């Protein structure tokens, strides 16, 4: 099939949108931490851009999407992007250059470890973070991407539905973040210093950029300018809006207040949940998926975290882990074959319980694989370098102690002064 210039234009735009999500995440996370740690958390997102790009070019893409080996991993035929050129690859995207498909998938590989950084914000040393994303990308993300999306991958063969990353991106980052929070330990300041965002405008602006980029994140999964892409655009917008309302409603019932921080958190929760389902479910289903995601993730952030006592600094598990779990299961419930011939009918459309069971298998495998591997990777890194900043380093801020820079050098106020 010849290259379709309309599809090329569409996927180029989607690729750029997904790239924008990582700087958007940097702003989002940067606003959420205290001002002495702004640059450190933002730098972790930018470090992921550089390091993962090089990994992906050298061998990561080949292992993730190359010719299958035992349904577990790709081979090394495409090392250094050998054979990944301007001709289409009929297995993945028959109407766009293979190199463009590589670039689109690269953006997902970049943002996933960057998401994990929020769980260990304000105390993970930069050297440890670099080693973590290096090994995590190789030993967690790449195999999982092949299982779910690679031709021959065992979860793809099983019939797991994951349109844009509910397992590979969202649950993987959320569960890994939870494990990392436990392994690294709590921040020294937890319990006696207010852990509130220092710059809410950046949180809202960063959240807005994430929503903007999410249109490319989800719609790009159609690999062309077609009806499925439009469906994904619509379900993304509808779910995000419903998630904001769902979170706000539960927040009002629980605390008798509706916060700006809560509103943007509800949006992100719902966008996470619709990610695996975006190109498989109806607009009406997306409304319900997003609304439930907002409420469920609020409970995860506000109640579950307190009950279990872990310090997931920026609620990576509460939003990405729980939201991704709900969205993956919901895909098995609400999928509609009439909307996307590459999907199947879910429970409510006559598919029975089988699609739900398959999605539950994906959830269980993702939790076990990413959780165990994250634990082993962090424990291995700890043998060679400390994971956690010292009490003094945390008190002085990771901006100064890790990077010798300050986000606001001409604006000095006490951390606990609120105007």
């Amino acid at each position: 099939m010849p290259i379709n210039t309309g599809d090329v234009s569409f996927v180029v735009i989607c690729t750029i949108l997904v790239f924008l999500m990582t700087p958007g995440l940097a702003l989002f996370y940067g606003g959420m931490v205290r001002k002495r740690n702004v640059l450190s958390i933002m730098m972790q997102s930018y470090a992921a851009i550089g390091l993962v790009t090089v990994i992906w070019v050298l061998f990561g893409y080949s292992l993730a999407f190359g010719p299958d080996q035992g349904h577990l991993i790709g081979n090394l035929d495409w090392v250094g992007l050998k054979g990944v050129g301007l001709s289409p690859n009929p297995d993945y995207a028959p109407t766009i250059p293979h190199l463009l498909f590589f670039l689109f998938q690269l953006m997902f590989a970049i943002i996933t470890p960057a998401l994990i950084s929020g769980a260990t914000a304000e105390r993970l040393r930069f050297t440890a973070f670099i080693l973590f994303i290096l090994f995590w990308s190789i030993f967690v993300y790449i195999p999982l991407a092949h299982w779910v999306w690679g031709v021959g991958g065992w979860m793809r063969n099983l019939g797991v539905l994951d349109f844009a990353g509910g397992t590979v991106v969202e649950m993987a980052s959320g569960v890994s973040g939870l494990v990392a929070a436990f392994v690294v330990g709590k921040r020294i300041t937890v319990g006696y210093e207010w852990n509130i965002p220092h710059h809410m405008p950046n949180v809202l602006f960063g959240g807005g950029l994430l929503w903007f980029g999410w249109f490319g994140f989800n719609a790009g999964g159609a690999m062309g300018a077609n009806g499925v892409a439009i469906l994904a655009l619509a379900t993304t917008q509808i779910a995000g809006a419903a998630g904001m309302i769902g979170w706000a409603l539960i927040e009002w019932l629980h605390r008798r207040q509706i916060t700006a921080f809560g509103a943007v958190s509800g949006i992100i929760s719902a966008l996470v949940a619709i990610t695996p389902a975006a190109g498989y479910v109806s607009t009406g289903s997306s409304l319900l998926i997003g609304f439930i995601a907002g409420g469920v993730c609020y409970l995860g952030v506000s109640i579950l975290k307190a009950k279990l006592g872990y310090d997931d600094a920026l609620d990576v598990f509460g939003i990405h882990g729980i939201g991704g779990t709900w969205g993956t299961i919901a895909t098995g419930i609400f999928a509609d074959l009439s909307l996307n011939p590459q999907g199947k009918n879910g429970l409510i459309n006559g598919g029975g319980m089988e699609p739900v069971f398959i999605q539950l298998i994906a959830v269980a495998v993702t939790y076990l694989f990413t959780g165990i591997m994250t634990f082993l990777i962090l424990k291995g890194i700890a043998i060679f370098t400390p994971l956690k900043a010292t009490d003094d380093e945390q008190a002085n801020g990771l901006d100064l102690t890790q990077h010798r820079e300050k986000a606001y050098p001409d604006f000095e106020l006490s951390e606990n002064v609120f105007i």
Side-chain angles (χ1 to χ4, degrees):
M1 184 180 293
I3 287 176
N4 183 303
T5 54
D7 290 347
V8 171
S9 299
F10 178 75
V11 179
V12 165
I13 292 169
C14 288
T15 300
I16 294 168
L17 287 172
V18 181
F19 173 81
L20 181 64
M21 293 178 75
T22 302
L25 180 71
L27 272 174
F28 185 62
Y29 279 177
M32 290 170 69
V33 297
R34 284 158 293 191
K35 70 176 186 290
R36 62 177 181 266
N37 297 309
V38 177
L39 296 179
S40 68
I41 193 64
M42 296 183 76
M43 181 58 188
Q44 289 178 10
S45 287
Y46 278 86
I49 295 174
L51 185 57
V52 175
T53 297
V54 173
I55 293 170
W56 211 242
V57 169
L58 292 179
F59 57 84
Y61 177 70
S62 188
L63 290 174
F65 290 93
D68 178 71
Q69 300 294 302
H71 309 299
L72 295 175
I73 199 72
N75 67 15
L76 295 174
D77 284 0
W78 298 341
V79 163
L81 299 187
K82 178 184 177 182
V84 181
L86 302 182
S87 299
N89 182 297
D91 288 333
Y92 292 113
T95 64
I96 67 174
H98 191 181
L99 186 61
L100 178 55
F101 178 79
F102 153 80
L103 287 168
F104 183 72
Q105 291 297 334
L106 167 64
M107 302 312 165
F108 287 73
I110 287 171
I111 196 170
T112 308
L115 288 169
I116 301 171
S117 68
T120 54
E122 303 192 307
R123 79 269 204 195
L124 183 65
R125 295 170 62 91
F126 187 65
T127 301
F129 176 76
I130 292 295
L131 292 173
F132 175 72
I133 60 172
L134 171 65
F135 293 116
W136 193 90
S137 296
I138 295 170
F139 294 111
V140 180
Y141 185 88
I142 288 171
L144 191 59
H146 184 78
W147 298 352
V148 177
W149 290 331
V151 172
W154 75 267
M155 281 209 268
R156 175 169 170 161
N157 290 348
L158 182 64
V160 171
L161 295 180
D162 187 353
F163 192 77
T167 53
V168 183
V169 178
E170 307 300 352
M171 272 194 292
S173 61
V175 174
S176 296
L178 177 64
V179 172
F182 275 114
V183 173
V184 176
K186 295 182 178 182
R187 290 167 286 180
I188 186 66
T189 54
V190 168
Y192 65 85
E193 184 178 8
W194 284 16
N195 295 318
I196 64 172
H198 90 283
H199 200 297
M200 273 305 304
N202 275 0
V203 174
L204 291 172
F205 184 51
L209 288 177
L210 287 171
W211 196 350
F212 180 60
W214 229 295
F215 290 116
F217 196 86
N218 286 348
M223 286 294 121
N226 52 46
V228 174
I230 301 306
L231 176 65
L233 280 171
T235 56
T236 299
Q237 171 65 22
I238 292 167
M244 177 171 58
I245 294 170
W247 183 294
L249 176 62
I250 302 300
E251 187 177 36
W252 172 257
L253 293 173
H254 183 218
R255 293 179 174 168
R256 286 295 187 267
Q257 63 181 13
I258 296 175
T259 62
F261 194 23
V264 71
S265 297
I267 292 166
I268 302 301
S269 298
L271 293 172
V272 166
I274 201 61
T275 291
Y280 297 126
V281 303
S282 69
T283 51
S285 295
S286 71
L287 190 72
L288 185 59
I289 291 170
F291 182 79
I292 293 174
V296 169
C297 291
Y298 174 85
L299 296 175
V301 168
S302 299
I303 295 177
L304 181 65
K305 184 168 75 168
K307 292 287 187 183
L308 297 182
Y310 58 87
D311 184 20
D312 178 357
L314 308 185
D315 295 312
V316 179
F317 178 71
I319 291 178
H320 296 274
I322 293 175
T325 302
W326 159 239
T328 298
I329 297 170
T331 305
I333 298 171
F334 297 103
D336 187 341
L337 183 61
S338 69
L339 297 171
N340 185 346
Q342 309 250 326
K344 63 178 74 169
N345 280 324
L347 175 63
I348 68 167
N349 291 306
M353 285 299 297
E354 182 182 354
V356 179
F357 286 138
I358 290 174
Q359 297 301 102
L360 286 170
I361 290 171
V363 170
V365 169
T366 303
Y367 268 63
L368 287 171
F369 177 67
T370 58
I372 292 169
M373 290 301 296
T374 299
F375 179 84
L376 293 176
I377 289 168
L378 286 169
K379 288 295 186 181
I381 293 171
I383 296 172
F384 301 99
T385 186
L387 298 176
K388 188 176 180 181
T390 66
D391 291 357
D392 285 344
E393 287 173 332
Q394 291 183 61
N396 289 312
L398 270 61
D399 288 2
L400 277 176
T401 60
Q402 302 297 303
H403 305 289
R404 295 187 180 180
E405 295 175 296
K406 297 179 74 174
Y408 309 111
D410 298 321
F411 182 71
E412 298 293 344
L413 283 175
S414 168
E415 289 281 0
N416 293 314
V417 172
F418 302 100
I419 299 176

